[in-house]
Amino acid sequence: NAGVTQTPKFRILKIGQSMTLQCTQDMNHNYMYWYRQDPGMGLKLIYYSVGAGITDKGEVPNGYNVSRSTTEDFPLRLELAAPSQTSVYFCASSYLAGRSGYTFGSGTRLTVV
Amino acid sequence: TQLLEQSPQFLSIQEGENLTVYCNSSSVFSSLQWYRQEPGEGPVLLVTVVTGGEVKKLKRLTFQFGDARKDSSLHITAAQPGDTGLYLCAGGSQGNLIFGKGTKLSVKP
């Protein structure tokens, strides 16, 4: 069982560069999420999707973009990387919103220098 | 804005000790979930509780959902080094899950 797969595992970006964090799930979940985790700050929701073609902003969407062209894939795009985007990024999926458990990927550690 | 407060923030104990971690809110949730996260990995779901007053046991871990569905606790009996990690509670309502900031547990052999 692959579950939720994130790539890459680690990445160093220079200020102003762009990149896409990949996320794919094989559980046929409609709901997918992107979180960032900073030390002592918990998980903050960046964007989420309730199904293919539908995305919405979370708590901290500025500087990020997403798309959801298929049920399986939910890539996160960083445009014009800034040091404030240094963080660990987690993708997750769930069968239902709010009541069913989330399955998380293993994360992408991003450093912007 | 719904918030979940976890306490303590850090906990360092010896192998064999018991501990309790708390998750509190002023909001009512339809469900409360607990996750454990190990370094370099994503959170992994431990349990979901949905009924006020519900108690669930998972080996040495006991989870309780408050009667008013505003709080929850996680009790670990005879902690082991393998229990070391970040414990996160998450509350669900009609929208997405709200996560607490976590309790970082260290169990020393």
Side-chain angles (χ1 to χ4, degrees), chain B residues 8-26:
Chain B
Q9 191 176 357
F10 300 96
L11 191 54
S12 181
I13 61 172
Q14 293 295 131
E15 182 176 1
E17 292 183 11
N18 301 333
L19 67 115
T20 302
V21 173
Y22 299 93
C23 176
N24 296 294
S25 176
S26 58

Side-chain angles (χ1 to χ4, degrees), chain A residues 32-35 44-50 53-67 74 76, chain B residues 95-98:
Chain A
M32 295 189 75
Y33 315 85
W34 274 105
Y35 287 89
K44 292 191 181 294
L45 183 63
I46 304 171
Y47 270 95
Y48 66 99
S49 170
V50 301
I54 306 170
T55 63
D56 208 346
K57 295 178 180 179
E59 184 182 358
V60 289
N62 291 344
Y64 308 95
N65 275 301
V66 294
S67 60
F74 191 40
L76 177 71
Chain B
N96 301 314
L97 285 181
I98 307 296

